[in-house]
Amino acid sequence: MNKRKRKMRTGKKARRNQRAVILTCVASGIAIVLVAVLAGFLIKSHNDTKQYVEILQNETGTGLSKGEDAGGESVPSGGEGEDGGDAEGSDLAQADKEALFEENFELEEEKNSEYLSADTIESIVRGGQTVSSALANRPASVEMTAENRATFAKIDSCNIVDSGKVKVAVSSEGIPKSDDKYYYLFEEATYEDSIPEDREPLAKTYKNESTSFSVDLNKGQANSRLFSKFQVAVKLDGKYVSVSHAKYITNPGACAGFSYGGMSHNSIKGILPDPLRIGELADLGCEYATYNIPLSLILSKSGGTSYTYGGVTYHFNSQILNDYDNLFRRLNSMGIDVAAIVLNNASPSAYPEITHPSARSGSTAPYYMFNAADDSGVKALAAIGSFLANRYSGSGHGNVSMWIIANEVNARREYNYMSHVDVNTYTTAFTRAFRVFYNAIKSQNSAAKVYIPIDQRWTYNTEKTGDYDAKDVIDIFASQMSEYGNIDWGLAAHPYSFPNDATAFWKANKYVNHTVSTPCITMDNLEVLTNYMRQESMLDSQGRVRSIILSEIGYSSTSGQAMQAAAFAYAYVKMEQNGYIDALMLSRQTDAADEIAALGLALGLQTTGGHHKQIYDVFKYIDTSRRSEVISFAYDIVGKTF
């Protein structure tokens, strides 16, 4: 009776296991394979146990009667029990056999429960269901068309992660049909517009509606990817075909060693200082200062301070660098943050790699378009930007928190020479160079700000003069920055009066109105510029209005010192009320003799001989409790209280 009950319990457990295995098979082919392997293991284990039992039986003389099977059921037999042997001895032997069998059977069931417990079975079933669900929900394969192929996949982000890796995240609606199951990642140089035919992919990954690649950044090395674009492709008819728009790295600050974003300030007041009268800036209460860094001064062909970057060694003039070190340290010690203006006046014959190929001859301007049109140019700009940002971001040489790349870039003929081309081609050349500088600077100092400078000619139709409208340049620049990976560039505007000697900027002027199509932007209609920069298409990567500084603004005293002082007072108050100006830099601390001679402009707070003009005290006290006292004279001149 006991044997019968034991057998029934064993049968129920087997049937439960059998049903579980059947469910597993239905869930997934993978689960079937796994269960089959486990079942094979169990059979082997069970056979091993039976052999063990038989060995014990043979060794103890308690083998099963020929009249019973291993389950305790009676079968026909001619065994000793039929010959009338010792019944009592036979019963004892039979009891020992049953006890030994039960003991080993229980051990075997315990082992089986370890290898195929209910939790294990449930886990297998869940795994099979997950695989089955994934297969059922796999995105549909989509036949690409000529119209959608180039943008079938979207690079959602291209970021530095863990300081030394680049992660490229990709998404698409469906999976594109191609020769195989992979997306391929390609690298393009700054100056390349497509994947070269002989280029090999950096990496590959299974196609999916959401996937990503990871490659090494190689910062500072000859094969650095800090300035590269990344492109996704598939293989069609044996060839790699682009299926996304290229994107640059957009968070170069993630690999920076410094994070200097400037000091805390209570005023937006700044100036272009006179290096011979730096001490006066403390008396004036300056918060900001601009200073030029012409490349002809700091570059050297050999010796000096060497800097190896991108596999190339560059040289800088140690004495000139020491002068900048002393100047910047001194300004910082006075609580003044520096905006450095990087200007390309390097000799095209001595340093051809610095200057764009279309700007190496026939220049009518003091500065040239930077070169991001070839590998040597990209490496040189990257090295210069990296070197300067590293030196002036917390390494003990003084700090620069703002970097302005070139001067009034829309003024091709006057300040940023390149042979005349259409505005899109011209702006593309500058945009590429700007991004190289941006990534180089931010990769050293994550908190630095980098600006594009424009003059006041907004829609003046300067194309006929050989220049470009600032609005056109900004529109193209912003569009390309967004298209290839939005970064947090800033705008450095120069809202001088138009013409420059029209000190009374508030008077009616046919070149100035309050619409977006105004020919010029001066301090009278500054809100046109800031409102334009508040558009969604102009916002930074976080959806904020970009940093806007007025890196040059000034009024001449040739119309009288009172007029000059009144113009500055009114302009400063308008800037404060606008609310979107981070800093202004008055041009300049001291009159420049060459400006007076060539343009008739005396823009300084003091004469060339150091005599303070009326504007000096207005500038000094306008951001203090004495403001009303020092600007009240201007109300009658301007014709209103402000």
Side-chain angles (χ1 to χ4, degrees):
M1 185 63 180
N2 289 338
K3 289 187 288 184
R4 172 70 64 179
K5 289 182 179 179
R6 185 60 181 170
K7 183 176 181 181
M8 290 175 66
R9 287 200 302 270
T10 303
K12 289 176 66 176
K13 184 175 186 67
R15 285 192 296 273
R16 285 198 302 270
N17 288 347
Q18 185 179 21
R19 284 196 300 271
V21 173
I22 291 172
L23 287 174
T24 303
C25 293
V26 172
S28 167
I30 293 174
I32 292 173
V33 173
L34 184 56
V35 172
V37 171
L38 289 172
F41 182 83
L42 291 175
I43 291 169
K44 182 180 182 302
S45 177
H46 183 68
N47 290 338
D48 289 345
T49 302
K50 287 178 66 178
Q51 292 174 6
Y52 177 64
V53 171
E54 290 173 358
I55 291 170
L56 287 176
Q57 290 170 342
N58 292 334
E59 289 180 350
T60 59
T62 56
L64 292 176
S65 166
K66 293 181 181 179
E68 296 178 344
D69 69 4
E73 291 280 78
S74 297
V75 294
S77 175
E80 291 181 1
E82 293 181 350
D83 295 337
D86 187 347
E88 182 177 353
S90 177
D91 289 343
L92 288 174
Q94 183 66 23
D96 289 340
K97 287 190 291 181
E98 292 180 3
L100 180 60
F101 180 81
E102 287 294 320
E103 180 180 351
N104 282 280
F105 200 95
E106 289 172 1
L107 287 172
E108 180 63 17
E109 281 204 308
E110 186 176 343
K111 286 174 61 180
N112 289 351
S113 67
E114 292 178 3
Y115 291 115
L116 198 60
S117 66
D119 289 342
T120 301
I121 294 170
E122 184 179 355
S123 178
I124 293 170
V125 172
R126 282 200 309 269
Q129 290 172 338
T130 299
V131 172
S132 178
S133 177
L135 290 171
N137 295 323
R138 182 173 174 78
S141 292
V142 179
E143 194 76 53
M144 292 183 293
T145 66
E147 290 74 24
N148 73 3
R149 189 174 69 187
T151 56
F152 186 91
K154 178 186 176 185
I155 296 180
D156 297 310
S157 62
C158 184
N159 291 327
I160 297 171
V161 296
D162 302 325
S163 297
K165 293 286 187 180
V166 181
K167 181 180 179 182
V168 182
V170 182
S171 65
S172 62
E173 293 186 8
I175 298 175
K177 290 183 179 179
S178 63
D179 292 357
D180 56 31
K181 56 190 174 184
Y182 296 110
Y183 274 138
Y184 296 89
L185 183 69
F186 281 85
E187 177 183 14
E188 293 177 12
T190 302
Y191 45 85
E192 292 175 337
D193 293 313
S194 61
I195 303 171
E197 288 187 6
D198 59 348
R199 187 69 47 83
E200 290 296 320
L202 295 177
K204 66 180 181 180
T205 189
Y206 289 112
K207 290 182 291 189
N208 207 334
E209 286 190 317
S210 179
T211 188
S212 65
F213 299 90
S214 180
V215 295
D216 291 330
L217 175 63
N218 302 327
K219 176 185 174 181
Q221 300 177 31
N223 60 343
S224 172
R225 297 186 174 112
L226 186 59
F227 312 100
S228 300
K229 299 189 287 280
F230 295 90
Q231 176 72 269
V232 179
V234 296
K235 190 175 284 188
L236 280 176
D237 300 325
K239 294 182 178 180
Y240 294 111
V241 176
S242 172
V243 293
S244 76
H245 195 285
K247 291 291 179 73
Y248 289 91
I249 290 167
T250 57
N251 67 331
C255 65
F258 298 103
S259 185
Y260 178 77
M263 293 172 265
S264 178
H265 298 291
N266 298 316
S267 168
I268 62 173
K269 188 171 67 179
I271 201 165
L272 174 62
D274 180 344
L276 301 178
R277 296 182 170 92
I278 291 293
E280 289 184 351
L281 298 186
D283 178 60
L284 287 166
C286 271
E287 305 272 353
Y288 299 94
T290 54
Y291 214 83
N292 294 338
I293 302 182
L295 295 188
S296 64
L297 290 181
I298 66 171
L299 293 177
S300 177
K301 294 300 292 183
S302 62
T305 301
S306 61
Y307 183 71
T308 300
Y309 193 85
V312 181
T313 299
Y314 301 87
H315 299 272
F316 298 88
N317 187 309
S318 297
Q319 181 56 54
I320 297 298
L321 289 176
N322 186 62
D323 292 341
Y324 278 112
D325 295 350
N326 292 333
L327 174 64
F328 294 160
R329 280 196 297 254
R330 188 175 181 189
L331 290 171
N332 293 160
S333 70
M334 299 163 67
I336 297 173
D337 266 315
V338 177
I341 306 169
V342 183
L343 301 167
N344 179 20
N345 65 342
S347 167
S349 59
Y351 302 97
E353 69 276 11
I354 305 295
T355 299
H356 194 282
S358 297
R360 293 172 186 166
S361 62
S363 174
T364 56
Y367 310 120
Y368 310 98
M369 174 71 80
F370 287 110
N371 178 30
D374 54 44
D375 189 60
S376 63
V378 170
K379 286 185 175 179
L381 301 189
I384 292 167
S386 177
F387 173 78
L388 290 174
N390 180 275
R391 190 175 183 90
Y392 298 118
S393 297
S395 61
H397 300 282
N399 297 323
V400 173
S401 60
M402 297 172 282
W403 296 90
I404 301 170
I405 309 303
N407 179 57
E408 297 183 353
V409 296
N410 59 299
R412 176 202 70 89
R413 195 167 49 114
E414 292 83 6
Y415 291 117
N416 199 56
Y417 178 76
M418 177 178 168
S419 58
H420 193 267
V421 291
D422 64 273
V423 65
N424 190 76
T425 301
Y426 174 86
T427 306
T428 296
F430 177 78
T431 302
R432 288 176 170 175
F434 182 95
R435 194 184 284 267
V436 172
F437 271 114
Y438 181 95
N439 280 17
I441 291 168
K442 297 284 278 188
S443 71
Q444 297 295 331
N445 179 8
S446 62
K449 296 181 177 67
V450 189
Y451 298 85
I452 171 178
I454 57 171
D455 70 12
Q456 78 274 49
R457 294 175 296 174
W458 186 243
T459 63
Y460 186 69
N461 192 22
T462 51
E463 187 82 27
K464 62 186 178 184
T465 70
D467 291 329
Y468 307 99
D469 288 346
K471 181 178 180 296
D472 289 341
V473 170
I474 288 298
D475 284 346
I476 297 167
F477 179 85
S479 175
Q480 290 187 359
M481 283 298 180
S482 178
E483 185 179 4
Y484 286 93
N486 198 8
I487 52 177
D488 297 335
W489 56 270
L491 179 65
H494 298 172
Y496 285 108
S497 297
F498 192 84
N500 287 348
D501 59 357
T503 299
F505 65 82
W506 54 90
K507 293 185 177 180
N509 187 323
K510 67 178 182 178
Y511 299 108
V512 180
N513 61 58
H514 295 273
T515 71
V516 72
S517 60
T518 180
C520 294
I521 290 178
T522 70
M523 282 309 303
D524 186 54
N525 63 344
L526 181 66
E527 82 284 350
V528 173
L529 178 65
T530 54
N531 286 343
Y532 197 77
M533 296 303 294
R534 291 168 62 189
Q535 296 180 102
E536 185 176 354
S537 61
M538 290 291 170
L539 301 180
D540 71 10
S541 62
Q542 304 299 314
R544 303 166 301 196
V545 176
R546 298 180 183 278
S547 176
I548 304 172
I549 62 173
L550 309 184
S551 54
E552 277 189 40
I553 184 172
Y555 303 99
S556 179
S557 60
T558 51
S559 300
Q561 288 192 19
M563 182 69 76
Q564 179 195 30
F568 172 74
Y570 186 34
Y572 187 90
V573 172
K574 284 178 70 68
M575 280 183 270
E576 277 195 333
Q577 292 173 344
N578 180 278
Y580 290 99
I581 306 302
D582 291 337
L584 76 92
M585 316 296 185
L586 184 70
S587 180
R588 54 188 67 237
Q589 183 181 355
T590 303
D591 285 344
D594 58 342
E595 261 183 354
I596 296 173
L599 303 172
L601 298 177
L603 303 176
L605 301 179
Q606 54 198 351
T607 66
T608 54
H611 175 73
H612 293 178
K613 302 181 191 178
Q614 185 174 346
I615 191 177
Y616 188 97
D617 280 348
V618 175
F619 184 93
K620 177 178 179 178
Y621 295 113
I622 197 164
D623 55 352
T624 71
S625 59
R626 293 185 59 185
R627 172 188 288 188
S628 297
E629 174 190 338
V630 299
I631 72 170
S632 59
F633 78 95
Y635 300 155
D636 289 338
I637 297 175
V638 176
K640 62 186 295 186
T641 300
F642 51 87

